[in-house]
Amino acid sequence: MFRKSQSIVGSLIVCLTLLFTLVVLPAQSQSNVAQVIITDIMAEARPGEHPLITAYVSVLDDQGQHVSGLGAGDFLVEEFTNPVSRISVSPERQGVAVELLVDVSGSMEGLGMSPDGRLQDVQSAVGQFLGSLHDEDLAGIFTFCKKVEQIRPLERGVSGGIAFTIPTDPALQFTCLFDAMWNAIEDLTGGEKELGPEFARMKKAIFVFSDGADSGRDAGCLHDLTDVKKLLIARDPKGKISVYAVGVGSEEAGADFHDLKNLADITEGEFIHYFGRTEQEIGGAQGELNGAFERFLTQGEQYVIRYGTEACADQVTLHIEVGGQADEGEVKIPSVEPVIDLSGVEEGQRVSGRLVLEPKLVLEQCPVREVTYFVNGVKMVTVAPPFTWEWDTSTLPDNPNCGPVEVDPQGNGLVRNVVVRAEAVDQKGLVGADEVSGLEVEILHPEVAIIKPEANAHIERTGRWRTKLEDATPKELPVQIEVAWPGQRRDIERVEYYLDGQPVETTSSLEPRALDISALGVVGEETQHTLKVRVVDELNLVAEAQVPLTVSVYIETPLDILKGLLALPTLMSLVAIVIALVVLILFLRSPKRAIEVVAGGVRKVTEFLGVATKGTRLVLIENGKDVRPYAVYDVTHLGRDESRVDIAFDHPLVSRLHATLVKEDEDFVLYDQGSKNGTWVNEQRLPFKGHRVLENGDIIDLGRGGIRLRFEREGEAAGGKGD
């Protein structure tokens, strides 16, 4: 139990230690923050990604030293006033750039901490400082007395020692300190072109070593303290340049640090008295200067903040805050084109019908306002959000850049090497695009259906005695088809009709046709046949349909005529007896003539009496009275030309083939055959080559004022509309 308690206590200690490390230490680090300085901000374009923002930030404590141990959670980063949530923070040393200004006037030979004088003290301190620089650090040296001379340009690395000498005509009462400051400031603020963008991120400082007695324009120099202050405000408005004014020598021995202290004040810099007589004083002075050197060198340690910006702007104001201290900077955002992906279709894919294209917006720096689609370089459509386009691929042949349409064995078309491109335009007018090439687009052929006749329809062809097969009725087969297009409707090049594989008719119209079937069938037999329709459109795409048919041909015989006579009522029987006696007499005189008379008489009697008493018929009306009936068949042609019609009328208003009465299922339909004077039903004219379903008692006029007929259905009383 004791060991278990020890284990629990140990675990609690570890957890509290971790909590202290994660919470208390960062809080302590933030509490020591005295200054936040953005030394540089860069925005870098990245293909297919949001621009990368990189900010270099110095975080200093109240002693001017680098505050270490900070993480992403310690930084508040805002674009304008919008917080940035995903940032990475890493400490990186960016280096320092320092200008060392050394007074080489004659007074620098005076009493110093070493026997060799003040200038030797400075030379030793500068040499020690240069030796502590890192490889990436930059250092430059100016000497000044009556004039300013650059003895070392601002560069990396130190080769050999540095030796300062007093000029042969040194200044004794004054130096041009502020001229040297002017040159150093210009050097530190104008070196980016030569030294690159890394130079802008460096922490910069100026160390001035002088024993005082410095002056300005009154001593013949170009600049004074006011000029230096103005230049710093203009070139370094955020105070990134630290100034360390180092007074060398003893004020009791005549050193005057008035100008150095003023310089430190106006630049918010630091004044350091570098002098001592005793070992303790000397050690203290050297420690203070080395401490300043060390504090400045630690400022080369900076934090680098990186994140991808989604700001839709040409320029962003960046606000970075740590522990209540903040700095701001501006950065230009590079233009980023939108990135889209035409998903849902792949290179080389075969497509047909309607293809839904919906691009995926991979990257939007600024919102995309529209997407334009192109097919083979031809603009098709521009759409707003959600940017979906339903492409009817059957319209592809209308594209002027469409390749040849190949026809496959199934009658469908195929277009190869099709390119689909989508261009997205954002609110700034930037364009991003994606395309899919090598598509194969299948153009489906039209669909054809035979409406009439129906499949397995039974066609009965009949004829009177001695009628030949080609004269049996009906002689024509009404055919009606329908054509449907799975996509774009196209012109019909031709429609081909076949009976038993033999071409019967070719046309370019989809109107109902009447096919010649005069040679179809065998007398006295029932035969099987096939009707096929082949439709070819303007692209040579082919559709086919076929139906099986049954055809029976019946030609009446003399025996049939006799049976008909015997089936007549008593009146008909008496007439038949009279005719028989007449025939007998003729037969005794001329047998051949008797046979002809019998045949003709039977035919006419049958027509007049038989049809008059039963069956569907047409009744001729003259002067309001029924004159005679006419038998009707499955197909009955009406007109003036006896060689072409079943019922002939010798009248000038009747055309050679005027109209056709067709039995369709249980209905009889009257078709106008393009007659000159028109076909009328109940005083209403049919359209040219139009048709109408007849009702019992309907009055038919072949030509206005021509032949008038009444239609009567089998087993129904006529309405007498023409009476």
Side-chain angles (χ1 to χ4, degrees):
M1 183 69 180
F2 176 73
R3 292 181 179 179
K4 186 175 181 181
S5 301
Q6 281 185 322
S7 176
I8 295 173
V9 172
S11 299
L12 288 174
I13 293 174
V14 171
C15 292
L16 290 173
T17 303
L18 289 174
L19 184 64
F20 178 81
T21 304
L22 295 174
V23 177
V24 178
L25 291 183
Q28 289 180 340
S29 298
Q30 289 192 38
S31 65
N32 294 330
V33 174
Q35 189 177 18
V36 174
I37 302 173
I38 300 176
T39 58
D40 192 21
I41 310 175
M42 296 190 305
E44 177 185 357
R46 298 181 295 177
E49 296 184 71
H50 293 292
L52 177 64
I53 299 294
T54 304
Y56 298 86
V57 183
S58 289
V59 181
L60 307 177
D61 61 15
D62 52 6
Q63 300 298 319
Q65 290 187 312
H66 171 72
V67 177
S68 61
L70 300 179
D74 299 308
F75 288 82
L76 172 64
V77 180
E78 294 179 334
E79 290 180 341
F80 302 112
T81 57
N82 302 317
V84 179
S85 58
R86 298 179 181 177
I87 63 172
S88 68
V89 176
S90 60
E92 297 181 16
R93 193 175 195 283
Q94 298 301 315
V96 298
V98 59
E99 292 283 4
L100 302 172
L101 311 184
V102 179
D103 181 355
V104 291
S105 63
S107 60
M108 290 292 287
E109 291 181 329
L111 177 64
M113 291 185 293
S114 68
D116 296 328
R118 303 169 185 169
L119 190 59
Q120 182 61 42
D121 295 342
V122 172
Q123 183 170 306
S124 298
V126 167
Q128 182 180 354
F129 173 66
L130 292 177
S132 64
L133 294 177
H134 296 253
D135 293 340
E136 65 270 17
D137 295 336
L138 300 174
I141 300 176
F142 286 90
T143 59
F144 62 92
C145 54
K146 281 183 172 182
K147 63 179 182 177
V148 178
E149 181 179 358
Q150 187 176 30
I151 65 172
R152 172 189 166 89
L154 195 61
E155 61 185 5
R156 292 183 174 88
V158 179
S159 56
I162 299 296
F164 300 113
T165 58
I166 304 297
T168 55
D169 185 19
L172 297 178
Q173 300 299 324
F174 67 89
T175 63
C176 291
L177 163 66
F178 302 115
D179 287 357
M181 278 293 298
W182 184 281
N183 290 345
I185 295 169
E186 285 193 326
D187 218 14
L188 290 176
T189 58
E192 292 188 26
K193 292 182 179 180
E194 296 79 11
L195 301 173
E198 295 85 358
F199 178 71
R201 300 193 288 270
M202 291 182 169
K203 185 63 180 176
K204 301 173 178 65
I206 299 175
F207 282 84
V208 183
F209 297 89
S210 176
D211 62 354
D214 303 300
S215 185
R217 288 198 181 106
D218 295 340
C221 300
L222 299 176
H223 303 286
D224 59 14
L225 182 62
T226 302
D227 295 336
V228 170
K229 181 177 180 180
K230 290 179 179 179
L231 183 62
L232 276 172
I233 293 173
R235 293 288 189 90
D236 185 34
K238 292 189 176 183
K240 295 181 180 180
I241 300 176
S242 301
V243 176
Y244 298 87
V246 182
V248 183
S250 172
E251 290 180 291
E252 298 175 0
D256 181 3
F257 304 130
H258 176 73
D259 288 334
L260 285 177
K261 291 179 180 179
N262 287 340
L263 180 62
D265 288 340
I266 68 162
T267 60
E268 298 182 1
E270 184 177 346
F271 175 77
I272 300 170
H273 188 197
Y274 188 54
F275 181 75
R277 294 183 183 276
T278 66
E279 289 186 5
Q280 184 176 0
E281 291 176 347
I282 293 174
Q286 290 177 340
E288 185 178 0
L289 180 59
N290 289 337
F293 285 152
E294 182 62 27
R295 287 195 301 276
F296 171 64
L297 289 178
T298 62
Q299 293 178 11
E301 298 290 338
Q302 300 184 43
Y303 290 98
V304 181
I305 301 174
R306 296 181 176 90
Y307 68 92
T309 179
E310 298 181 15
C312 176
D314 296 326
Q315 182 170 289
V316 166
T317 298
L318 199 63
H319 175 92
I320 299 178
E321 182 177 332
V322 182
Q325 303 298 318
D327 193 12
E328 290 187 349
E330 293 182 344
V331 60
K332 291 183 177 180
I333 305 298
S335 297
V336 179
E337 295 83 6
V339 178
I340 64 173
D341 177 27
L342 266 178
S343 57
V345 61
E346 299 178 356
E347 183 175 351
Q349 182 178 343
R350 177 173 290 193
V351 298
S352 64
R354 293 187 175 273
L355 179 64
V356 178
L357 296 174
E358 187 173 3
K360 178 181 178 183
L361 297 178
V362 179
L363 177 66
E364 284 183 280
Q365 189 68 25
C366 292
V368 172
R369 68 169 187 259
E370 64 184 30
V371 173
T372 301
Y373 292 91
F374 298 82
V375 176
N376 285 2
V378 177
K379 179 180 177 180
M380 303 300 293
V381 66
T382 298
V383 295
F387 312 119
T388 302
W389 176 42
E390 186 176 351
W391 176 32
D392 182 0
T393 60
S394 67
T395 63
L396 179 60
D398 300 331
N399 189 311
N401 295 339
C402 173
V405 179
E406 306 173 14
V407 181
D408 64 17
Q410 288 73 40
N412 296 314
L414 185 65
V415 182
R416 303 181 188 274
N417 299 321
V418 177
V419 179
V420 177
R421 178 180 177 86
E423 292 185 356
V425 182
D426 67 13
Q427 291 182 353
K428 294 176 69 175
L430 301 176
V431 179
D434 188 28
E435 69 179 30
V436 179
S437 59
L439 293 179
E440 295 185 351
V441 176
E442 186 177 31
I443 312 297
L444 300 179
H445 62 63
E447 299 292 338
V448 60
I450 300 176
I451 306 302
K452 293 182 180 180
E454 297 179 350
N456 299 309
H458 189 185
I459 302 170
E460 296 182 357
R461 300 188 62 202
T462 61
R464 301 182 183 93
W465 182 43
R466 301 182 68 182
T467 299
K468 296 180 180 179
L469 173 64
E470 55 268 23
D471 295 326
T473 57
K475 298 179 181 180
E476 294 179 338
L477 175 65
V479 178
Q480 182 179 352
I481 65 172
E482 286 185 356
V483 176
W485 284 261
Q488 176 82 348
R489 182 184 177 94
R490 303 198 175 277
D491 293 338
I492 296 299
E493 186 71 20
R494 63 186 183 276
V495 181
E496 301 169 354
Y497 296 89
Y498 297 84
L499 282 172
D500 297 334
Q502 299 300 315
V504 178
E505 185 175 339
T506 299
T507 180
S508 60
S509 171
L510 296 178
E511 293 295 324
R513 312 300 298 176
L515 302 183
D516 182 9
I517 59 170
S518 60
L520 199 63
V522 177
V523 177
E525 295 184 15
E526 189 176 277
T527 54
Q528 304 299 318
H529 305 273
T530 301
L531 168 66
K532 183 175 76 171
V533 179
R534 189 171 185 265
V535 177
V536 182
D537 70 7
E538 60 181 298
L539 299 177
N540 286 324
L541 307 185
V542 180
E544 293 183 354
Q546 64 181 28
V547 293
L549 304 174
T550 301
V551 177
S552 58
V553 182
Y554 174 73
I555 305 296
E556 62 183 0
T557 65
L559 181 60
D560 296 325
I561 296 173
L562 181 58
K563 289 180 179 179
L565 290 175
L566 295 176
L568 293 176
T570 304
L571 178 61
M572 292 294 297
S573 299
L574 293 176
V575 173
I577 292 172
V578 173
I579 294 175
L581 291 175
V582 174
V583 171
L584 179 59
I585 295 171
L586 292 176
F587 181 77
L588 293 176
R589 293 182 179 181
S590 174
K592 183 177 181 181
R593 176 61 180 162
I595 294 174
E596 292 178 354
V597 171
V598 170
V602 170
R603 185 181 303 112
K604 294 185 180 295
V605 170
T606 301
E607 288 181 359
F608 183 76
L609 297 179
V611 174
T613 58
K614 64 176 183 177
T616 300
R617 60 190 180 176
L618 293 173
V619 179
L620 176 65
I621 302 173
E622 292 181 357
N623 299 321
K625 296 182 180 181
D626 295 352
V627 176
R628 65 163 295 180
Y630 292 96
V632 295
Y633 309 95
D634 287 348
V635 178
T636 305
H637 296 295
L638 310 176
R640 195 177 71 248
D641 188 349
E642 293 184 357
S643 64
R644 299 180 60 189
V645 301
D646 299 295
I647 303 176
F649 301 99
D650 186 12
H651 195 286
L653 295 180
V654 178
S655 299
R656 293 168 62 85
L657 176 59
H658 197 105
T660 300
L661 184 60
V662 180
K663 183 178 182 182
E664 299 182 2
D665 297 330
E666 298 301 322
D667 295 325
F668 279 86
V669 183
L670 183 65
Y671 288 87
D672 178 72
Q673 296 292 353
S675 61
K676 179 179 179 181
N677 297 302
T679 302
W680 306 72
V681 177
N682 299 332
E683 305 297 331
Q684 295 183 357
R685 183 170 181 170
L686 299 183
F688 182 76
K689 288 192 175 184
H691 64 278
R692 175 170 171 170
V693 177
L694 296 182
E695 300 291 340
N696 186 49
D698 283 346
I699 300 301
I700 303 168
D701 288 301
L702 305 182
R704 192 70 164 172
I707 297 298
R708 171 163 287 195
L709 303 165
R710 184 174 65 250
F711 174 71
E712 293 184 357
R713 291 294 299 265
E714 180 179 3
E716 298 181 15
K721 297 180 182 179
D723 296 338

